[in-house]
C-alpha cells in the first residue's frame, strides 16, 4: 500500500534572515527578517479556521432568500417566475431563481426589503446563510510506514489505507492484481456531483473523470479552483474529488524522484460533476449551494457530495433537500469538525450524515456526533489529490538519522539547513536557547500559542526552518498540527511524531537539513474527507444496481456498515463504518 510523508501547499517563499554576527538574538528581532503577516504581526486566520466575512456586501445590500406563497396544487417553478418578476420590480438584485422551491435568491437594500416584507406575494424572507468547508482542518500526524519509491509501481500501490478500509478494492479488484476486474462495478454509469471549491482540472488523476462543471461564483462553466488573478484556492475540492473518483494508473508527481503512482478513488470509473460554490477562503452562500443542487439534478447526478455546511435548517433548505431525494438523488454531507452536534445540512432528514474515523477505526476527536449521524468513514490523515505541485513531500536528516516528517499544510518548499536549536514553546522572542541571527532550525513544542504565532516568534529570532515536535503525544505518536496561514512570510515547517521527537531531542545542537519538494497530493483531516468515501461507495452500489432508489441505497449502506462503539446505531458512529463489498452482498 502506498503512503507518503507529506502534506502542504506551495506558498510564498519564506525570507530567511540575513547573515549577521553570531551574537545572541534572544529577546530581540534579527535584522532584515520578515515573518508572519508583516510588521511583526502574525497573519489573521481566515476561511477554514472559522472567521467569516460580513453578510452585508460592499454595495450595502444583504443577501437573502425570498419565499413566495403558493396554493397546495401550484408548482414551485410557476410561483417563482412571478415572484422573481415582482422582486426585480422593487429594485432588488435577483441572483438565482429556483425550480424545486418557490423562492429566489437576491441582494436587497433595507428599503427594498421593507417593500418585499409587506407584499402579499411574499411568504417569508430567510437569511442567505454562510456555509464553510469541513476539511483541511488541523491535520493529524500519524506513524508512517516506509516511504515507497522506485520507477516502476504496481497499480495496487495506489490503494490507500482509507480505500482498503471501506473495501473498495474488494469490489473492483477481487484478486488484488492491481487491475480493474472486467465487468465489476467501479462507478461506471453513475454521476457524482461534488459541490465544493472547484477543481484542478488538469490534475492527472482526474483526467477523463469530469463530464460537466459550473462555477456559481463567476457564473461560467470553468469550475477551476482559482481566484480572479489566477491564484489557487484551498485545494479542498480537488482533495474531495480524488477520494471519490481518482483514476487507476494515471497518477501525478509523488516525490523528489518524480515517480508516478498516485492513488485511486473509491469509484474510479464514476463520472464527476463539479460545482464551484466555495470562495478562496472556503466559504459559500447557501443560495449558491441551492442553485448547485438544482444544477446537479439537471445534469443527471445520482449522488451529491457536500463537504460543507454550518448553517441552520430553513423551510427552503428542507424543501430543497427533500425535492432532490424525491427526484432520485442521494445527498451525502459531512457532519462537521467542531466535536459538537451534527451540523446542517448533514442533520437534515433527507441527507445522509457522515462522521470521521481514523485508520484504526477510532472516532476522530473533531468529528461531530448526534442521533442524525448515519455512517462514519476515513477522515484522519487522508491522502488524496491536490492542485499540481502545491503539495509538499518532506525529507529530514540529522547526523546519522532520517526521522519521518510531514510538512505543515501551506508550508513553502525548498532546502534549508542549520543547527537544531531548542525553542521551547515558541511563545516569546526569547524562546530559542542559543539562537543566532546566522540562522538555525527551530525545535518547537506546539500548543502554547497558535502555530503561526510560534512560527513568527522563532523566525524573528533567526530560525530559517521549524520542526514541531510531538513529545506529549500518546504512544503511537499522533499530534494535532495546525496549518500555516495562506498569506505572509513563512519558513519551511514540518511536524514529527513522538518517536522522532524523542530522537531529535537527543540531537539538539546537531546540524539538521530539511528538504520539501512540490508534489500533487496531500494528507489532511476532516469530515470533508469522510463524506466522499460514502459518496463513492454509493456510486459503486448504483453502478451494480442502477434501478435502486436513494432510500434503498442508503439502507444497504447502513445495514452493511461495520458496527463500532455501542452495539447498534449510536450517536458517535451512527450505523458504523461504510463497507462497499458488504453493502453489495446485502443486495437481493
Amino acid at each position: 500500500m502506498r503512503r507518503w510523508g507529506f502534506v502542504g501547499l506551495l506558498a510564498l517563499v519564506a525570507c530567511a534572515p540575513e547573515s549577521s554576527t553570531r551574537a545572541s538574538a534572544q529577546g530581540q528581532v534579527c535584522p532584515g527578517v520578515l515573518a508572519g503577516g508583516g510588521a511583526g504581526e502574525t497573519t489573521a486566520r481566515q476561511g477554514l479556521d472559522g472567521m467569516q466575512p460580513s453578510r452585508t456586501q460592499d454595495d450595502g445590500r444583504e443577501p437573502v432568500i425570498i419565499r413566495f406563497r403558493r396554493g397546495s396544487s401550484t408548482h414551485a417553478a410557476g410561483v417563482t417566475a412571478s415572484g422573481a418578476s415582482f422582486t426585480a420590480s422593487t429594485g432588488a438584485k435577483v441572483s438565482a431563481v429556483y425550480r424545486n422551491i418557490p423562492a429566489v435568491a437576491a441582494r436587497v437594500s433595507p428599503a427594498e426589503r421593507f417593500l418585499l416584507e409587506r407584499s402579499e406575494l411574499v411568504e417569508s424572507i430567510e437569511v442567505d446563510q454562510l456555509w464553510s468547508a469541513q476539511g483541511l482542518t488541523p491535520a493529524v500526524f500519524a506513524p508512517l510506514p516506509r516511504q515507497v519509491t522506485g520507477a516502476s509501481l504496481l497499480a495496487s500501490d495506489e490503494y490507500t489505507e482509507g480505500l482498503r478500509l471501506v473495501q473498495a478494492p474488494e469490489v473492483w479488484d477481487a484478486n488484488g492484481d492491481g487491475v480493474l476486474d472486467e465487468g465489476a462495478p467501479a462507478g461506471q454509469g453513475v454521476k457524482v456531483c461534488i459541490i465544493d471549491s472547484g477543481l484542478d482540472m488538469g490534475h492527472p488523476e482526474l483526467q477523463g473523470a469530469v463530464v460537466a462543471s459550473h462555477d456559481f461564483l463567476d457564473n461560467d462553466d470553468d469550475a477551476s479552483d482559482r481566484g480572479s488573478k489566477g491564484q489557487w484556492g484551498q485545494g479542498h475540492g480537488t482533495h474531495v474529488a480524488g477520494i471519490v473518483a481518482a483514476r487507476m494508473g494515471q497518477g501525478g508527481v509523488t516525490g523528489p524522484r518524480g515517480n508516478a503512482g498516485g492513488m485511486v478513488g473509491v469509484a474510479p470509473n464514476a463520472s464527476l460533476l463539479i460545482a464551484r460554490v466555495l470562495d478562496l477562503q472556503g466559504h459559500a452562500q447557501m443560495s449558491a449551494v441551492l442553485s448547485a443542487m438544482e444544477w446537479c439534478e439537471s445534469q443527471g447526478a445520482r449522488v451529491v457530495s457536500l463537504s460543507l455546511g454550518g448553517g441552520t435548517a430553513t423551510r427552503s433548505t428542507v424543501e430543497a433537500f427533500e425535492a432532490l431525494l424525491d427526484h432520485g438523488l442521494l445527498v451525502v454531507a459531512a457532519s462537521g469538525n467542531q466535536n459538537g452536534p451534527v451540523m446542517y445540512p448533514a442533520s437534515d432528514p433527507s441527507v445522509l450524515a457522515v462522521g470521521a474515523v481514523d485508520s484504526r477505526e477510532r472516532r476522530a476527536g473533531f468529528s461531530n456526533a448526534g442521533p442524525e449521524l448515519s455512517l462514519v468513514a476515513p477522515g484522519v490523515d487522508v491522502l488524496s489529490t491536490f492542485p499540481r505541485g502545491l503539495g509538499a513531500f518532506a525529507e529530514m536528516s540529522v547526523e546519522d538519522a532520517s526521522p519521518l516528517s510531514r510538512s505543515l499544510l501551506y508550508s513553502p518548499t525548498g532546502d534549508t539547513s542549520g543547527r537544531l536549536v531548542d525553542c521551547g514553546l515558541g511563545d516569546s522572542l526569547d524562546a530559542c536557547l542559543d539562537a543566532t541571527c546566522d540562522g538555525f532550525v527551530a525545535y518547537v513544542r506546539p500548543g502554547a500559542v497558535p502555530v503561526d504565532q510560534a512560527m513568527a516568534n522563532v523566525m524573528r529570532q533567526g530560525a530559517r526552518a521549524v520542526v514541531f515536535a510531538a513529545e506529549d503525544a500518546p504512544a503511537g505518536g499522533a499530534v494535532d498540527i495546525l496549518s500555516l496561514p495562506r498569506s505572509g512570510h513563512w519558513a519551511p515547517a514540518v511536524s514529527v511524531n513522538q518517536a522522532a521527537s524523542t530522537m531529535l531531542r537527543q540531537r539538539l545542537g546537531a546540524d539538521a537539513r530539511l528538504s520539501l519538494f512540490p508534489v500533487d497530493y496531500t494528507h489532511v483531516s476532516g469530515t470533508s474527507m469522510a463524506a466522499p468515501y460514502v459518496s463513492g461507495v454509493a456510486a459503486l452500489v448504483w453502478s451494480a444496481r442502477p434501478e435502486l432508489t436513494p432510500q434503498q441505497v442508503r439502507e444497504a449502506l447502513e445495514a452493511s456498515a461495520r458496527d463500532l462503539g455501542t452495539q447498534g446505531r449510536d450517536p458517535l458512529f451512527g450505523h458504523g463504518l461504510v463497507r462497499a463489498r458488504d453493502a453489495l452482498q446485502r443486495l437481493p
Side-chain angles (χ1 to χ4, degrees):
M1 178 172 60
R2 184 171 184 78
R3 292 291 304 275
W4 302 283
F6 60 80
V7 307
L9 177 67
L10 181 63
L12 297 175
V13 177
C15 295
E18 296 178 357
S19 179
S20 66
T21 67
R22 294 189 62 86
S24 171
Q26 290 181 337
Q28 64 183 10
V29 177
C30 292
V33 174
L34 294 176
E41 300 294 332
T42 55
T43 302
R45 297 188 184 278
Q46 296 181 356
L48 303 182
D49 288 334
M51 291 182 64
Q52 297 186 349
S54 170
R55 279 185 27 81
T56 303
Q57 299 181 347
D58 293 341
D59 59 3
R61 295 178 178 274
E62 178 188 11
V64 294
I65 305 292
I66 304 167
R67 287 184 56 86
F68 307 108
R69 302 182 191 278
R70 65 171 178 174
S72 57
S73 60
T74 308
H75 291 295
V79 174
T80 302
S82 58
S85 178
F86 169 71
T87 301
S89 72
T90 69
K93 307 301 182 183
V94 176
S95 56
V97 178
Y98 301 110
R99 299 186 307 272
N100 289 337
I101 56 175
V104 299
R107 294 179 294 109
V108 299
S109 69
E112 292 157 0
R113 178 166 184 155
F114 180 84
L115 292 174
L116 289 163
E117 287 175 333
R118 279 149 183 79
S119 170
E120 293 184 356
L121 292 176
V122 176
E123 177 184 274
S124 62
I125 298 179
E126 301 172 348
V127 173
D128 187 359
Q129 301 169 18
L130 203 63
W131 293 357
S132 301
Q134 296 298 308
L136 306 187
T137 62
V140 177
F141 186 102
L144 299 173
R146 67 179 178 85
Q147 176 74 19
V148 179
T149 59
S152 178
L153 297 170
L154 292 174
S156 57
D157 290 325
E158 301 180 54
Y159 300 173
T160 63
E161 281 184 341
L163 190 74
R164 294 184 185 276
L165 203 60
V166 302
Q167 299 181 326
E170 298 177 44
V171 172
W172 36 255
D173 183 16
N175 59 5
D177 65 354
V179 178
L180 293 178
D181 298 338
E182 185 176 356
Q188 57 269 29
V190 180
K191 293 180 180 179
V192 179
C193 195
I194 297 176
I195 301 177
D196 212 285
S197 68
L199 199 66
D200 174 5
M201 293 293 181
H203 200 291
E205 293 279 13
L206 300 168
Q207 296 308 294
V210 179
V211 295
S213 64
H214 191 78
D215 187 332
F216 288 87
L217 301 180
D218 298 334
N219 195 29
D220 58 39
D221 291 333
D222 178 11
S224 297
D225 185 10
R226 289 182 179 271
S228 59
K229 299 179 180 179
Q231 70 273 38
W232 282 106
Q234 301 284 349
H236 190 270
T238 302
H239 199 271
V240 169
I243 295 171
V244 176
R247 280 359 197 187
M248 181 83 83
Q250 54 185 57
V253 177
T254 61
R257 293 153 191 83
N259 54 283
M263 45 81 66
V264 64
V266 176
N269 282 349
S271 298
L272 295 180
L273 302 168
I274 304 298
R276 180 179 181 239
V277 298
L278 292 169
D279 62 21
L280 298 185
Q281 287 72 47
H283 297 305
Q285 294 292 154
M286 182 180 75
S287 58
V289 177
L290 297 181
S291 293
M293 287 163 52
E294 292 193 349
W295 177 82
C296 294
E297 180 184 349
S298 73
Q299 297 297 313
R302 300 302 300 271
V303 183
V304 175
S305 197
L306 285 175
S307 290
L308 50 81
T312 57
T314 69
R315 185 170 180 183
S316 293
T317 61
V318 170
E319 287 183 3
F321 286 113
E322 184 178 26
L324 288 193
L325 183 62
D326 290 344
H327 298 169
L329 285 75
L330 178 66
V331 180
V332 178
S335 70
N337 301 337
Q338 296 76 37
N339 189 24
V342 175
M343 71 173 186
Y344 198 80
S347 59
D348 190 280
S350 299
V351 175
L352 191 159
V354 183
V357 295
D358 64 15
S359 61
R360 300 181 184 178
E361 302 181 357
R362 300 172 300 190
R363 174 178 171 265
F366 54 77
S367 183
N368 289 2
E372 304 92 347
L373 194 67
S374 171
L375 295 164
V376 292
V380 176
D381 210 33
V382 172
L383 170 69
S384 188
T385 46
F386 215 53
R388 287 162 292 161
L390 303 187
F393 172 98
E395 288 184 341
M396 182 179 182
S397 62
V398 183
E399 291 184 329
D400 58 342
S402 298
L404 290 170
S405 60
R406 183 71 60 77
S407 72
L408 267 65
L409 191 66
Y410 307 137
S411 171
T413 57
D415 294 329
T416 53
S417 61
R419 290 182 307 113
L420 188 63
V421 171
D422 189 351
C423 288
L425 301 176
D427 56 347
S428 69
L429 290 177
D430 59 3
C432 299
L433 302 175
D434 195 28
T436 70
C437 291
D438 284 334
F440 59 88
V441 176
Y443 178 88
V444 177
R445 301 158 182 83
V449 295
V451 165
D452 58 345
Q453 183 177 335
M455 285 281 296
N457 286 340
V458 301
M459 287 174 63
R460 292 169 72 193
Q461 294 171 72
R464 57 174 59 140
V466 183
V467 177
F468 286 96
E471 293 184 3
D472 298 327
V479 60
D480 290 343
I481 293 296
L482 296 175
S483 66
L484 291 173
R486 295 294 309 279
S487 61
H489 300 274
W490 305 105
V494 300
S495 65
V496 294
N497 63 13
Q498 186 186 48
S501 299
T502 301
M503 183 270 291
L504 291 175
R505 194 169 61 250
Q506 297 169 350
R507 290 167 170 77
L508 290 171
D511 288 335
R513 183 178 184 86
L514 274 70
S515 297
L516 275 66
F517 305 89
V519 293
D520 301 343
Y521 303 85
T522 192
H523 290 84
V524 290
S525 300
T527 55
S528 273
M529 287 63 249
Y533 275 104
V534 174
S535 298
V537 173
L540 294 181
V541 173
W542 250 317
S543 183
R545 297 286 299 276
E547 78 280 4
L548 295 179
T549 66
Q551 188 59 37
Q552 288 172 323
V553 172
R554 176 170 182 161
E555 289 172 354
L557 301 187
E558 293 175 342
S560 61
R562 177 178 171 82
D563 195 8
L564 303 174
T566 305
Q567 185 174 5
R569 185 176 188 176
D570 66 78
L572 297 181
F573 298 95
H575 293 276
L577 175 66
V578 67
R579 308 275 273 184
R581 183 202 63 199
D582 294 347
L584 287 170
Q585 289 179 345
R586 289 192 67 92
L587 296 175

